[in-house]
Amino acid sequence: MATYKPKNILITGAAGFIASHVANRLVWNYPEYKIVVLDKLDYCSNLNNLDPSRFSPNFKFVNGDIGSADLVNYLLITESIDTIMHFAAQTHVDNSFGNSFEFTKNNIYGTHVLLEACKVTGQIRRFIHVSTDEVYGETDEDAVVGNHEASQLLPTNPYSATKAGAEMLVMAYGRSYGLPVITTRGNNVYGPNQFPEKLIPKFILLAMRGQPLPIHGDGSNVRSYLYSEDVAEAFEVILHRGEVGHVYNIGTKRERRVIDVAKDICALFSLDPVKVIQVVENRPFNDQRYFLDDQKLKNLGWSERTAWDDGLKRTMEWYMSHPDWWGDVSGALLPHPRMLMMPGIERHTDGSEETKSMSSQSTTTNSQNQMVVPAARSSVVPPKKPYLKFLIYGRTGWIGGLLGKICEKQGIPYEYGRGRLEERSHLILDIQNVKPTHVFNAAGVTGRPNVDWCESHKQETIRTNVVGTLNLADVCRDHGLLLMNYATGCIFEYDAKHPEGSGIGFKEDDKPNFIGSYYSKTKAMVEELLREYENVCTLRVRMPISSDLSNPRNFITKIARYDKVVNIPNSMTVLDELLPISIEMAKRNCRGIWNFTNPGVVSHNEILEMYRSYIDPSFKWTNFTLEEQAKVIVAPRSNNEMDATKLNREFPELLSIKDSLIKFVLEPNKKVLSH
């Protein structure tokens, strides 16, 4: 069997998990090879994974995207690349259900760019394409023979579909242009350096923190697991002995149910699986089993070396010694991760974030956040607090000012943005200087003293509410940052489907139906455009109220100073309760549109009656109709009920609007006045 000898190898995605093990192995074992690694440092990449190689003379790191044809062509030519090992891909199935377009972009388009560059330069002697066992689809539960390399491809989720699509391109370029391609399809891999969105490192980190281990469905799904060093050796064998045009399965006959993996990890940490393992909602589709026939690779001389118990123990020990390797991993440790899949997300290595508990009860007699020490180890470094730093826009505004005070109270570092939202260069400079983990936008034009101002200042309203907000969302996306955007619920009005007093509120997916004021019109416009930005969390605030009754923007203060008021039930936002929740939402990487109001409605008269009862027993007011109100205002006002079910489901402790008013606004002021 002829042995292939490369000279200059390009490894894509080599700051990721499997590829970093392969790159480090080749750099160490073959000093005569030049290893060039290309990685865009996505959320699941870490330059520290390449520490063993970074100072070797035959190693070179390039920060870049395989989707850049100019960069790929430049590297192939200037580095005289003759071999490509293509690992770069989005790989987490959970993410693919929520952001499948990103998978198409990375896994199919990125592969196509590489193949086209190989065709154009005409210098590639080996192109090793790394695929997955998931392209075969689900294996029958009673099958005794695994999928072989000629089995039909039947992917069942967006991730595996994009990997199958990339394989078709690789095969086509091999046949049409004679590109010397080899494809691999591997089982699950585990070991040191793996980003904890994957099952084994996730369970290990959760066990270290004394938190529940979430099992999708009933945990009966079967998977095969290979240790990372064994897989790196498999790629070493395929590189040197694999035949052009062939496919190789990298697998193991040793299968384990997910529930059994969880139990094995519990045993390592001396935890009771009955108390620690927690069943959660299953994926939209969760293949029951992947089973491979790996005889073809064994014929090349490879075999699995690491026993399960030994590999799992070594993996656990690595994570115990490197608890902060990945920095803030709170989103990954949730049962169904919400990760921002964008280039350039900055990894902070000074602490790993504590995730919210999925259970109200502790799994041990100690705190939920206390690290559990395995019986075999005498000491462990406890997890540090997460690294957070907020960049807040809207310093002179009501909500922006309150956010700063909350950050000070919670000990969260923050800075206010100095740039104008309309100036993109100002925003970029703010982000470069502050280096935030999250951005909050509380800036906007509501009118001076009210929304009627916007009717005669339309250009200024557009500039801030539309152009500025979109600018900020776009810049944040380019920098891999989540934007918490305080919007408005004043884009709806009661209608036939949502009649006043019916208890049927407008939901997050409902289209705005109120354009009576120019302010509301611009807010509805920008909300619709922001739907295209997956890095934005839009919070619909309505008729905000706070415990500061001296603030003229406080809804209670407003109506208490009016000569006459209408009497209509509305959804409202008690800022004292909800603004801290918005910070928690940022920590949880919540995205999309949220009705940011307390559940239920309260009318003007009900508020003023409570005001009289708690604050001023002598207070009196007079009502007038909407028709009478219309004669003294320029623009109509929005009246509606918002459905807060989504927010209440995420935060079950959220109080109804009337209870929240009493607890956070009226009772504190009653105490102040009584003293």
Side-chain angles (χ1 to χ4, degrees):
M1 182 183 299
T3 300
Y4 172 68
K5 288 291 184 182
K7 292 182 179 179
N8 304 309
I9 306 173
L10 175 66
I11 304 179
T12 68
F17 171 47
I18 300 174
S20 64
H21 284 277
V22 174
N24 291 332
R25 185 183 187 92
L26 294 178
V27 169
W28 180 263
N29 289 344
Y30 303 93
E32 70 275 20
Y33 298 172
K34 179 169 74 173
I35 309 297
V36 179
V37 304
L38 174 62
D39 199 297
K40 67 178 182 179
L41 297 180
D42 209 340
Y43 76 94
C44 54
S45 301
N46 192 330
L47 263 181
N48 294 334
N49 291 346
L50 295 166
D51 278 351
S53 302
R54 290 173 74 176
F55 299 105
S56 300
N58 62 329
F59 172 84
K60 181 176 183 178
F61 173 78
V62 178
N63 182 198
D65 192 338
I66 58 171
S68 170
D70 290 340
L71 174 61
V72 171
N73 279 282
Y74 174 81
L75 285 177
L76 296 192
I77 294 170
T78 58
E79 302 294 343
S80 301
I81 300 298
D82 58 23
T83 302
I84 292 178
M85 302 180 78
H86 176 35
F87 290 86
Q90 295 287 351
T91 65
H92 192 50
V93 175
D94 271 353
N95 281 340
S96 76
F97 288 119
N99 195 356
S100 55
F101 289 110
E102 198 72 19
F103 280 69
T104 301
K105 176 184 173 183
N106 283 271
N107 299 354
I108 296 180
Y109 177 74
T111 301
H112 201 168
V113 170
L114 282 173
L115 292 168
E116 189 65 17
C118 293
K119 183 194 79 172
V120 170
T121 58
Q123 65 194 47
I124 301 302
R125 297 165 55 216
R126 284 289 190 282
F127 185 100
I128 298 176
H129 176 68
V130 182
S131 191
T132 172
D133 59 355
E134 295 195 37
V135 297
Y136 293 121
E138 195 171 49
T139 306
D140 292 338
E141 292 185 52
D142 58 353
V144 295
V145 178
N147 286 304
H148 54 81
E149 287 80 358
S151 295
Q152 186 178 4
L153 304 189
L154 297 168
T156 59
N157 57 64
Y159 157 61
S160 57
T162 60
K163 294 299 287 185
E167 279 198 36
M168 296 300 100
L169 281 171
V170 171
M171 181 176 66
Y173 270 73
R175 292 182 177 178
S176 296
Y177 304 111
L179 195 66
V181 298
I182 297 173
T183 296
T184 69
R185 298 172 185 150
N187 278 148
N188 288 26
V189 184
Y190 71 100
N193 304 356
Q194 189 172 26
F195 185 72
E197 67 186 357
K198 302 295 186 179
L199 183 80
I200 291 175
K202 173 187 284 191
F203 281 3
I204 288 173
L205 285 180
L206 287 172
M208 286 166 61
R209 300 171 180 210
Q211 294 179 326
L213 310 188
I215 298 287
H216 291 172
D218 60 5
S220 65
N221 305 75
V222 176
R223 297 292 185 266
S224 302
Y225 297 93
L226 281 168
Y227 190 63
S228 51
E229 283 305 313
D230 293 347
V231 174
E233 183 182 359
F235 280 103
E236 181 183 12
V237 170
I238 292 168
L239 171 65
H240 295 106
R241 303 179 200 166
E243 293 188 50
V244 169
H246 283 238
V247 177
Y248 293 93
N249 287 337
I250 304 175
T252 175
K253 296 294 193 297
R254 301 169 184 170
E255 296 180 289
R256 276 172 178 76
R257 296 184 307 162
V258 171
I259 189 97
D260 293 327
V261 173
K263 290 178 180 178
D264 288 344
I265 291 173
C266 285
L268 282 176
F269 286 87
S270 300
L271 297 173
D272 183 353
V274 175
K275 295 180 179 179
V276 173
I277 295 174
Q278 186 177 70
V279 173
V280 299
E281 183 182 358
N282 210 343
R283 291 171 174 171
F285 187 85
N286 198 353
D287 290 323
Q288 184 63 30
R289 184 191 186 202
Y290 303 121
F291 189 41
L292 295 181
D293 180 345
D294 61 347
Q295 188 58 47
K296 186 174 179 180
L297 178 57
K298 288 180 177 177
N299 293 340
L300 294 184
W302 176 85
S303 63
E304 180 184 4
R305 298 178 185 271
T306 307
W308 166 254
D309 290 341
D310 183 42
L312 191 62
K313 182 180 179 183
R314 287 159 62 182
T315 304
M316 179 270 289
E317 290 174 344
W318 185 87
Y319 281 95
M320 298 293 288
S321 301
H322 303 82
D324 299 332
W325 191 261
W326 288 103
D328 174 6
V329 292
S330 57
L333 296 183
L334 294 172
H336 298 280
R338 305 185 185 102
M339 299 307 297
L340 292 177
M341 299 181 299
M342 290 172 285
I345 291 183
E346 192 171 338
R347 283 274 152 215
H348 300 278
T349 57
D350 57 347
S352 52
E353 184 165 346
E354 298 166 1
T355 60
K356 69 167 183 176
S357 169
M358 295 176 294
S359 170
S360 60
Q361 295 182 343
S362 174
T363 57
T364 69
T365 57
N366 298 321
S367 166
Q368 278 275 12
N369 291 328
Q370 183 175 346
M371 187 175 293
V372 177
V373 183
R377 297 182 65 90
S378 59
S379 63
V380 182
V381 178
K384 300 177 182 177
K385 288 185 177 180
Y387 176 85
L388 293 172
K389 188 172 185 182
F390 294 164
L391 174 59
I392 302 172
Y393 287 92
R395 178 173 193 161
T396 59
W398 184 22
I399 291 178
L402 289 175
L403 282 173
K405 292 178 181 178
I406 295 171
C407 288
E408 290 171 4
K409 185 175 180 180
Q410 295 188 11
I412 300 173
Y414 73 98
E415 290 187 36
Y416 285 107
R418 298 183 179 182
R420 298 183 64 82
L421 295 187
E422 312 92 89
E423 299 293 337
R424 186 181 181 90
S425 59
H426 293 183
L427 303 181
I428 293 172
L429 189 61
D430 277 345
I431 288 173
Q432 290 174 344
N433 290 335
V434 177
K435 295 181 173 59
T437 59
H438 302 77
V439 178
F440 289 73
N441 180 32
V445 170
T446 56
R448 311 178 186 95
N450 54 47
V451 296
D452 288 343
W453 180 90
C454 299
E455 303 300 315
S456 56
H457 297 79
K458 293 183 177 180
Q459 289 79 13
E460 294 96 321
T461 305
I462 291 173
R463 192 178 303 126
T464 301
N465 291 356
V466 181
V467 178
T469 303
L470 290 176
N471 237 348
L472 184 58
D474 199 53
V475 170
C476 286
R477 188 185 190 282
D478 285 350
H479 288 80
L481 291 168
L482 176 64
L483 173 63
M484 304 298 295
N485 184 54
Y486 296 94
T488 182
C490 294
I491 53 177
F492 297 101
E493 63 180 340
Y494 289 119
D495 60 15
K497 292 182 179 179
H498 309 83
E500 179 183 331
S502 67
I504 302 173
F506 289 91
K507 297 184 178 181
E508 282 79 4
D509 292 335
D510 288 333
K511 297 292 183 183
N513 67 347
F514 177 73
I515 54 173
S517 71
Y518 201 75
Y519 163 76
S520 294
K521 188 173 183 179
T522 60
K523 287 293 192 176
M525 182 190 309
V526 76
E527 181 183 287
E528 185 64 27
L529 294 172
L530 285 177
R531 289 178 185 269
E532 304 302 320
Y533 286 86
E534 71 279 6
N535 64 311
V536 176
C537 181
T538 296
L539 305 176
R540 290 172 173 167
V541 177
R542 278 215 84 228
M543 297 180 171
I545 298 170
S546 84
S547 56
D548 179 8
L549 295 181
S550 65
N551 192 306
R553 290 195 174 278
N554 192 327
F555 183 74
I556 293 181
T557 308
K558 282 183 178 181
I559 63 173
R561 294 177 179 179
Y562 289 161
D563 294 330
K564 294 181 179 181
V565 296
V566 294
N567 182 37
I568 301 175
N570 273 283
S571 289
M572 301 185 190
T573 302
V574 177
L575 297 178
D576 300 72
E577 181 177 16
L578 284 168
L579 283 187
I581 283 178
S582 69
I583 289 178
E584 178 60 28
M585 292 175 75
K587 295 177 183 178
R588 297 184 189 183
N589 280 324
C590 294
R591 287 174 281 165
I593 296 174
W594 298 73
N595 288 339
F596 203 58
T597 62
N598 293 86
V601 294
V602 63
S603 70
H604 296 63
N605 280 4
E606 286 174 320
I607 290 177
L608 292 176
E609 285 167 3
M610 287 190 283
Y611 180 83
R612 179 169 60 189
S613 175
Y614 281 87
I615 308 300
D616 183 1
S618 63
F619 182 76
K620 296 179 181 180
W621 70 95
T622 304
N623 289 127
F624 67 160
T625 65
L626 286 175
E627 292 74 20
E628 290 172 322
Q629 182 196 47
K631 296 177 181 178
V632 296
I633 59 176
V634 176
R637 303 295 194 259
S638 159
N639 295 288
N640 65 60
E641 179 175 352
M642 311 290 289
D643 187 329
T645 301
K646 179 179 176 182
L647 185 67
N648 209 173
R649 191 181 296 123
E650 184 78 12
F651 297 93
E653 69 277 14
L654 182 63
L655 296 178
S656 69
I657 180 59
K658 293 178 183 177
D659 288 341
S660 188
L661 280 170
I662 293 171
K663 179 178 179 179
F664 291 99
V665 180
L666 299 172
E667 281 286 356
N669 277 284
K670 179 181 180 181
K671 292 174 184 176
V672 169
L673 291 171
S674 65
H675 286 298

